[in-house]
Amino acid sequence: MNKSDLQIIVLFSGYSEIQENTMNANCTCTLIKGPPNCIIDTMTAWDGSKIIEALHKHEITPNDINYVICTHGHSDHIGSNHLFQNAIHIVGFSVSQRDHYSLSPDIGKGENYEITDNIKVISTPGHTLQDVSVLVKINNLIYAITGDLFEKFEDLEDDSIWISAGSDNEQLQRTNRAKILKIANFIIPGHGPMFQVPQKYKVIKNDT
Protein backbone atom coordinates (compact mmCIF):
# COMPACT_ATOMS: atom_id res chain seq x y z
CA MET A 1 0.00 0.00 0.00
CA ASN A 2 1.16 3.53 -0.80
CA LYS A 3 0.94 6.04 2.03
CA SER A 4 -1.50 8.08 -0.06
CA ASP A 5 -3.95 5.17 -0.12
CA LEU A 6 -4.91 5.93 3.49
CA GLN A 7 -7.54 8.56 4.24
CA ILE A 8 -8.30 10.18 7.57
CA ILE A 9 -11.95 11.20 7.81
CA VAL A 10 -13.29 12.94 10.89
CA LEU A 11 -16.83 11.59 11.02
CA PHE A 12 -17.83 13.80 13.94
CA SER A 13 -15.88 16.54 15.70
CA GLY A 14 -16.29 16.35 19.46
CA TYR A 15 -17.37 19.06 21.85
CA SER A 16 -17.45 19.76 25.57
CA GLU A 17 -18.92 22.53 27.67
CA ILE A 18 -19.65 22.93 31.35
CA GLN A 19 -23.10 24.21 32.28
CA GLU A 20 -23.75 24.71 35.99
CA ASN A 21 -23.05 21.33 37.59
CA THR A 22 -22.98 19.22 34.43
CA MET A 23 -20.75 18.77 31.40
CA ASN A 24 -22.26 18.31 27.96
CA ALA A 25 -19.76 16.39 25.88
CA ASN A 26 -19.25 13.87 23.13
CA CYS A 27 -15.99 12.74 21.61
CA THR A 28 -14.49 13.11 18.17
CA CYS A 29 -15.05 10.01 16.04
CA THR A 30 -12.49 9.35 13.32
CA LEU A 31 -12.29 6.89 10.43
CA ILE A 32 -9.05 5.72 8.90
CA LYS A 33 -10.12 4.41 5.52
CA GLY A 34 -7.71 1.87 4.18
CA PRO A 35 -7.44 -1.03 4.09
CA PRO A 36 -7.18 -1.56 6.93
CA ASN A 37 -10.29 0.31 8.04
CA CYS A 38 -10.06 1.67 11.58
CA ILE A 39 -12.50 3.66 13.67
CA ILE A 40 -11.19 5.63 16.63
CA ASP A 41 -13.48 6.48 19.56
CA THR A 42 -17.08 5.37 19.04
CA MET A 43 -18.90 8.09 20.98
CA THR A 44 -21.79 7.20 23.30
CA ALA A 45 -24.22 4.28 23.39
CA TRP A 46 -26.84 6.56 21.81
CA ASP A 47 -24.81 7.30 18.67
CA GLY A 48 -24.84 3.96 16.87
CA SER A 49 -27.29 4.88 14.11
CA LYS A 50 -25.50 8.14 13.26
CA ILE A 51 -22.15 6.34 13.06
CA ILE A 52 -23.62 3.73 10.71
CA GLU A 53 -25.09 6.48 8.54
CA ALA A 54 -21.77 8.38 8.46
CA LEU A 55 -19.85 5.24 7.47
CA HIS A 56 -22.39 4.50 4.74
CA LYS A 57 -21.57 7.85 3.12
CA HIS A 58 -18.02 6.54 2.71
CA GLU A 59 -19.19 3.15 1.38
CA ILE A 60 -18.28 1.30 4.58
CA THR A 61 -20.39 -0.85 6.88
CA PRO A 62 -19.57 -1.79 10.49
CA ASN A 63 -18.56 -5.25 9.24
CA ASP A 64 -15.84 -3.63 7.10
CA ILE A 65 -14.06 -2.17 10.13
CA ASN A 66 -10.87 -4.08 10.95
CA TYR A 67 -9.85 -2.22 14.12
CA VAL A 68 -11.77 -0.32 16.77
CA ILE A 69 -9.41 1.86 18.77
CA CYS A 70 -10.59 3.69 21.87
CA THR A 71 -8.10 6.18 23.22
CA HIS A 72 -9.37 5.46 26.74
CA GLY A 73 -12.25 3.77 28.47
CA HIS A 74 -14.60 6.67 29.28
CA SER A 75 -18.19 6.10 28.25
CA ASP A 76 -18.26 8.84 25.60
CA HIS A 77 -15.41 7.10 23.76
CA ILE A 78 -16.51 3.43 23.81
CA GLY A 79 -20.29 3.58 23.63
CA SER A 80 -20.83 2.08 20.17
CA ASN A 81 -18.05 -0.52 20.14
CA HIS A 82 -20.66 -3.27 19.91
CA LEU A 83 -21.40 -2.34 16.29
CA PHE A 84 -18.08 -3.74 15.09
CA GLN A 85 -18.29 -7.49 15.49
CA ASN A 86 -15.50 -8.40 13.05
CA ALA A 87 -12.90 -6.01 14.40
CA ILE A 88 -9.99 -6.26 16.77
CA HIS A 89 -10.76 -3.92 19.66
CA ILE A 90 -8.05 -1.82 21.30
CA VAL A 91 -9.32 0.01 24.39
CA GLY A 92 -6.52 1.82 26.14
CA PHE A 93 -3.84 -0.81 26.75
CA SER A 94 -6.23 -3.76 26.22
CA VAL A 95 -6.28 -5.58 22.86
CA SER A 96 -9.00 -8.16 22.29
CA GLN A 97 -11.20 -9.94 19.81
CA ARG A 98 -14.23 -11.68 21.26
CA ASP A 99 -12.86 -13.43 24.39
CA HIS A 100 -9.20 -13.49 23.30
CA TYR A 101 -6.92 -10.89 24.90
CA SER A 102 -3.46 -10.19 23.49
CA LEU A 103 -0.54 -10.14 25.91
CA SER A 104 1.95 -8.88 23.34
CA PRO A 105 2.80 -6.22 22.47
CA ASP A 106 2.36 -4.73 25.95
CA ILE A 107 1.24 -1.17 25.23
CA GLY A 108 1.29 -0.43 28.95
CA LYS A 109 5.04 -1.02 29.00
CA GLY A 110 5.64 1.36 26.13
CA GLU A 111 5.54 -1.18 23.30
CA ASN A 112 3.83 0.15 20.17
CA TYR A 113 0.97 -1.74 18.55
CA GLU A 114 1.78 -1.50 14.85
CA ILE A 115 -1.25 -2.09 12.67
CA THR A 116 0.76 -1.29 9.53
CA ASP A 117 4.01 0.56 8.86
CA ASN A 118 1.91 3.73 8.68
CA ILE A 119 -0.56 3.19 11.54
CA LYS A 120 0.51 2.57 15.12
CA VAL A 121 -0.98 2.83 18.58
CA ILE A 122 1.24 4.31 21.28
CA SER A 123 0.96 4.80 25.03
CA THR A 124 0.14 8.42 26.03
CA PRO A 125 -1.24 8.28 29.59
CA GLY A 126 -2.21 11.28 31.63
CA HIS A 127 -5.92 11.97 31.14
CA THR A 128 -6.30 8.37 32.29
CA LEU A 129 -3.42 6.08 33.12
CA GLN A 130 -4.22 3.86 30.13
CA ASP A 131 -4.59 6.49 27.41
CA VAL A 132 -3.32 5.73 23.91
CA SER A 133 -2.93 7.79 20.75
CA VAL A 134 -2.98 6.67 17.12
CA LEU A 135 -0.25 7.92 14.82
CA VAL A 136 -0.94 7.81 11.09
CA LYS A 137 1.66 8.67 8.46
CA ILE A 138 0.31 9.91 5.12
CA ASN A 139 2.61 11.44 2.52
CA ASN A 140 5.29 12.14 5.14
CA LEU A 141 2.86 13.96 7.42
CA ILE A 142 2.03 12.63 10.89
CA TYR A 143 -1.56 12.76 12.12
CA ALA A 144 -2.04 12.11 15.84
CA ILE A 145 -5.50 11.01 16.99
CA THR A 146 -5.14 11.64 20.70
CA GLY A 147 -8.45 11.44 22.48
CA ASP A 148 -8.47 13.61 25.58
CA LEU A 149 -4.71 14.03 25.81
CA PHE A 150 -5.78 17.22 24.01
CA GLU A 151 -9.33 18.47 24.51
CA LYS A 152 -9.30 21.00 21.69
CA PHE A 153 -7.02 23.51 19.94
CA GLU A 154 -7.67 26.16 22.58
CA ASP A 155 -6.03 24.12 25.34
CA LEU A 156 -2.63 24.69 23.75
CA GLU A 157 -2.71 28.12 25.39
CA ASP A 158 -5.08 27.43 28.28
CA ASP A 159 -4.11 24.48 30.49
CA SER A 160 -7.29 24.88 32.53
CA ILE A 161 -9.30 23.41 29.64
CA TRP A 162 -7.65 19.98 29.69
CA ILE A 163 -7.13 20.00 33.45
CA SER A 164 -10.80 20.76 34.15
CA ALA A 165 -11.76 17.85 31.87
CA GLY A 166 -9.98 15.56 34.34
CA SER A 167 -6.43 14.31 34.50
CA ASP A 168 -5.28 11.28 36.46
CA ASN A 169 -1.70 12.53 36.28
CA GLU A 170 -1.15 16.13 35.15
CA GLN A 171 2.64 15.89 34.89
CA LEU A 172 2.45 12.73 32.82
CA GLN A 173 -0.14 14.34 30.59
CA ARG A 174 2.08 17.40 30.09
CA THR A 175 4.97 15.14 29.12
CA ASN A 176 2.93 13.20 26.58
CA ARG A 177 1.34 16.35 25.18
CA ALA A 178 4.83 17.73 24.58
CA LYS A 179 5.88 14.48 22.91
CA ILE A 180 2.94 14.54 20.51
CA LEU A 181 3.38 18.24 19.73
CA LYS A 182 6.97 17.56 18.69
CA ILE A 183 6.22 14.71 16.31
CA ALA A 184 2.75 15.48 14.88
CA ASN A 185 1.85 17.79 12.01
CA PHE A 186 -1.87 17.54 12.74
CA ILE A 187 -3.75 16.63 15.93
CA ILE A 188 -7.28 15.26 16.13
CA PRO A 189 -8.24 16.01 19.76
CA GLY A 190 -10.87 14.39 21.91
CA HIS A 191 -13.44 17.19 21.91
CA GLY A 192 -12.78 19.52 19.02
CA PRO A 193 -11.88 19.75 15.32
CA MET A 194 -8.56 18.64 13.84
CA PHE A 195 -5.86 21.31 13.90
CA GLN A 196 -2.38 21.85 12.53
CA VAL A 197 0.34 22.05 15.17
CA PRO A 198 1.84 25.57 15.24
CA GLN A 199 5.56 25.50 14.64
CA LYS A 200 6.35 27.20 17.95
CA TYR A 201 5.28 24.09 19.86
CA LYS A 202 7.98 21.99 18.22
CA VAL A 203 10.51 23.43 20.65
CA ILE A 204 8.62 22.45 23.83
CA LYS A 205 10.75 20.38 26.17
CA ASN A 206 9.40 17.10 27.53
CA ASP A 207 10.13 18.17 31.11
CA THR A 208 8.00 21.33 31.05
Side-chain angles (χ1 to χ4, degrees):
M1 170 184 285
N2 298 320
K3 297 186 183 79
S4 59
D5 292 335
L6 291 175
Q7 296 180 59
I8 292 182
I9 301 164
V10 177
L11 298 176
F12 300 97
S13 290
Y15 59 88
S16 62
E17 57 183 2
I18 296 175
Q19 296 182 346
E20 296 182 353
N21 294 322
T22 64
M23 175 178 281
N24 295 329
N26 207 340
C27 76
T28 301
C29 178
T30 306
L31 171 68
I32 302 172
K33 187 174 182 183
N37 297 316
C38 310
I39 191 165
I40 297 93
D41 288 339
T42 64
M43 306 170 73
T44 77
W46 295 269
D47 293 311
S49 60
K50 63 191 286 187
I51 291 174
I52 292 172
E53 182 178 352
L55 290 173
H56 180 71
K57 292 178 180 178
H58 298 282
E59 301 180 329
I60 290 178
T61 73
N63 286 339
D64 297 321
I65 296 295
N66 305 109
Y67 290 87
V68 174
I69 306 165
C70 298
T71 56
H72 60 290
H74 287 167
S75 59
D76 58 326
H77 291 255
I78 65 170
S80 295
N81 285 12
H82 65 281
L83 295 175
F84 306 102
Q85 298 291 309
N86 294 333
I88 293 171
H89 287 234
I90 303 171
V91 180
F93 297 165
S94 176
V95 182
S96 64
Q97 189 171 39
R98 300 184 184 276
D99 61 349
H100 299 288
Y101 287 80
S102 298
L103 301 178
S104 179
D106 191 336
I107 301 172
K109 292 184 177 179
E111 299 174 11
N112 297 336
Y113 188 101
E114 296 196 3
I115 294 174
T116 70
D117 290 343
N118 303 314
I119 305 172
K120 64 181 178 180
V121 181
I122 68 169
S123 170
T124 53
H127 177 67
T128 75
L129 297 182
Q130 292 198 3
D131 269 37
V132 298
S133 295
V134 184
L135 301 182
V136 186
K137 187 174 184 180
I138 300 177
N139 295 331
N140 293 318
L141 296 174
I142 301 296
Y143 295 78
I145 307 167
T146 67
D148 294 359
L149 182 67
F150 295 87
E151 279 281 304
K152 56 190 71 174
F153 174 77
E154 291 79 5
D155 79 12
L156 294 183
E157 296 291 335
D158 185 354
D159 285 350
S160 69
I161 295 174
W162 62 265
I163 292 172
S164 66
S167 178
D168 285 350
N169 187 317
E170 289 182 20
Q171 184 55 50
L172 193 55
Q173 189 163 349
R174 289 182 193 277
T175 297
N176 284 311
R177 283 166 59 90
K179 177 175 72 173
I180 292 297
L181 287 170
K182 280 188 173 183
I183 64 178
N185 301 103
F186 294 90
I187 289 175
I188 300 175
H191 294 275
M194 178 170 63
F195 60 87
Q196 186 170 2
V197 177
Q199 186 60 36
K200 67 179 182 178
Y201 291 102
K202 300 299 184 183
V203 299
I204 291 179
K205 294 181 180 180
N206 280 353
D207 58 359
T208 58

